């Protein structure tokens, strides 16, 4: 089996990166753009030809329309309740639904949100680490510009082109990530409403029911007395990509678990006490 280089992977996913760059240029945040493109890629894997449709219709309006529908899908898989029966139709995502011959609506994504999230995070943790790496793409663009200049010069001289050496970062073999990223980068700092704490089991159950086996562990504030209740804690996910899906470019998000509010944000070691 042939081993692909980083350059090979970047070349294969050039359209995916192009969609990401367009969305960012049109005002979508990088975090949201990553999630949208990763969702597009997952939809392709399950037979919804979103990327192929964009390839055949390279119009900003089409991309933005599909991106808006993708955000509706991502919002749906974050929700605690399914779409109401009144809105349970393909009307919420008409263009996406038109790309497959089977019924497709938001309720489908809600019912399969664990599968969707697992597929999206696998893409973000895999080829996504290259697709959304600005440094690698800048390096590739610089190399391609130098190679094109060398070829143009050779044509003028009617000589054989001497291409520049491929940078080491692009020439190395692409090996999917097999080890976990540091725990801090997979963590979210959580706080509770005063007097309304949650226990570890409730938090793990909440995320597991939504997205499957995504929580590695939950740590809670150590209280000084038996009567005191924790006011903050920390969730460690199995993948850093879960945090990007949870926050979706926001600094702070709120969850309601068993009628109690939980606020979550990205964990920062220097600022957070746990």
């Amino acid at each position: 089996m042939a081993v692909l280089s980083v350059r090979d992977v970047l070349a294969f996913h050039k359209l995916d990166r192009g969609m990401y760059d367009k969305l960012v240029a049109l005002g979508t945040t990088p975090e949201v753009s990553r999630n949208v493109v990763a969702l597009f890629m997952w939809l392709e894997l399950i037979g919804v030809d979103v990327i192929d449709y964009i390839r055949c219709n390279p119009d900003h309006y089409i991309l933005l329309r599909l991106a808006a529908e993708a955000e509706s899908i991502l919002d749906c898989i974050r929700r605690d309740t399914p779409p109401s029966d009144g809105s349970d139709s393909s009307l919420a995502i008409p263009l996406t639904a038109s790309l497959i011959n089977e019924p497709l609506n938001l309720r489908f994504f809600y019912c399969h949100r664990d599968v969707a999230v697992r597929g999206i995070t696998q893409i973000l943790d895999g080829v996504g680490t290259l697709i959304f790496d600005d440094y690698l793409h800048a390096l590739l663009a610089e190399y391609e510009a130098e190679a094109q200049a060398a070829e143009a010069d050779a044509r003028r001289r009617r000589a054989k082109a001497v291409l520049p050496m491929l940078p080491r970062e692009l020439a190395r073999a692409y090996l999917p990530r097999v080890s976990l990223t540091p725990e801090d980068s997979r963590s979210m700092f959580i706080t509770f409403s005063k007097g309304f704490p949650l226990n570890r089991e409730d938090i793990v159950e909440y995320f597991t029911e939504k997205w499957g086996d995504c929580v590695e562990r939950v740590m809670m504030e150590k209280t000084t007395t038996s009567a005191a209740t924790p006011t903050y804690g920390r969730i460690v996910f199995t993948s850093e990509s879960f945090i990007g899906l949870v926050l979706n470019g926001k600094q702070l998000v709120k969850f309601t678990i068993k009628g109690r509010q939980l606020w979550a944000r990205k964990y920062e070691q220097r600022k957070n006490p746990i």
Side-chain angles (χ1 to χ4, degrees), residues 39 68-84 87-89 92-93 105-114 116-117 120 206 210-211 245 248:
L39 174 61
E69 293 186 8
E71 289 194 60
S72 295
I73 294 170
L74 290 168
D75 180 63
C76 183
I77 64 179
R78 295 187 195 98
R79 293 174 57 173
D80 295 332
T81 56
S84 64
S87 64
D88 185 40
S89 71
I93 49 171
N105 52 38
L106 290 179
R107 186 172 288 272
F108 167 85
F109 293 103
Y110 180 84
C111 293
H112 299 88
R113 53 189 174 164
D114 57 331
V117 168
I120 294 168
Y206 174 81
K210 287 181 71 170
W211 293 347
L245 287 173
N248 199 39

Side-chain angles (χ1 to χ4, degrees), residues 258-272:
K258 294 189 173 180
R260 299 183 176 188
Q261 293 181 350
L262 177 151
W263 295 89
R265 58 180 168 81
K266 188 82 168 71
Y267 177 80
E268 297 179 46
Q269 187 177 21
R270 293 181 180 180
K271 297 181 180 180
N272 301 140

Side-chain angles (χ1 to χ4, degrees), residues 4-268:
L4 296 177
S5 69
V6 169
R7 182 196 180 192
D8 293 332
V9 175
L10 294 179
F12 183 81
H13 290 283
K14 194 167 186 177
L15 177 59
D16 303 321
R17 175 66 191 203
M19 291 187 295
Y20 168 81
D21 286 336
K22 282 184 181 178
L23 287 172
V24 172
L26 292 169
T28 307
T29 66
E31 293 85 358
V32 173
S33 299
R34 277 196 295 269
N35 291 339
V36 165
V37 173
L39 174 61
F40 286 166
M41 295 170 68
W42 178 73
L43 288 173
E44 285 279 322
L45 293 177
I46 65 170
V48 185
D49 297 328
V50 176
I51 296 176
D52 188 58
Y53 185 80
I54 293 172
R55 180 186 291 109
C56 297
N57 299 273
D59 184 280
H60 288 175
Y61 170 75
I62 295 296
L63 176 60
L64 287 174
R65 185 176 169 189
L66 283 168
E69 293 186 8
E71 289 194 60
S72 295
I73 294 170
L74 290 168
D75 180 63
C76 183
I77 64 179
R78 295 187 195 98
R79 293 174 57 173
D80 295 332
T81 56
S84 64
D85 291 335
S87 64
D88 185 40
S89 71
S90 60
L91 294 178
I93 49 171
L95 186 53
T96 304
S98 72
L99 301 178
I100 190 170
N101 293 325
E102 301 173 11
L104 186 69
N105 52 38
L106 290 179
R107 186 172 288 272
F108 167 85
F109 293 103
Y110 180 84
C111 293
H112 299 88
R113 53 189 174 164
D114 57 331
V115 178
V117 168
R118 185 163 62 248
I120 294 168
T121 55
Q122 286 175 349
I123 289 169
L124 290 169
D125 289 336
V127 294
T129 60
L130 304 185
I131 295 171
F132 306 117
D133 188 312
D134 293 339
Y135 171 72
L136 289 177
H137 280 273
L139 200 61
L140 178 61
E142 182 179 347
Y143 169 78
E144 290 179 339
E146 292 177 358
Q148 289 172 3
E151 290 173 344
D153 181 64
R155 285 195 297 270
R156 285 194 300 271
R157 295 186 293 105
R158 297 183 179 180
K160 184 178 180 180
V162 179
L163 298 179
M165 183 176 293
L166 188 66
R168 182 174 52 201
E169 296 92 334
L170 300 178
R172 66 177 174 85
Y174 166 63
L175 299 173
R177 181 186 292 169
V178 293
S179 59
L180 292 175
T181 53
E183 190 174 271
D184 286 355
S185 65
R186 294 183 282 115
S187 296
M188 295 190 72
F189 184 72
I190 55 176
T191 56
F192 317 112
S193 296
K194 190 173 182 180
F196 297 94
L198 289 158
N199 59 45
R200 292 182 178 86
E201 292 73 21
D202 290 337
I203 296 170
V204 172
E205 180 184 20
Y206 174 81
F207 285 102
T208 301
E209 285 185 355
K210 287 181 71 170
W211 293 347
D213 187 18
C214 62
V215 177
E216 184 174 295
R217 63 182 176 132
V218 175
M219 293 173 278
M220 307 292 276
E221 175 192 13
K222 293 181 180 179
T223 56
T224 56
T225 65
S226 58
T229 57
T231 57
Y232 61 84
R234 175 179 172 186
I235 306 174
V236 182
F237 289 96
T238 55
S239 165
E240 183 178 358
S241 297
F242 282 110
I243 297 175
L245 287 173
V246 169
L247 293 176
N248 199 39
K250 298 178 182 177
Q251 294 294 319
L252 187 69
V253 293
K254 182 181 74 172
F255 299 96
T256 302
I257 303 176
K258 294 189 173 180
R260 299 183 176 188
Q261 293 181 350
L262 177 151
W263 295 89
R265 58 180 168 81
K266 188 82 168 71
Y267 177 80
E268 297 179 46

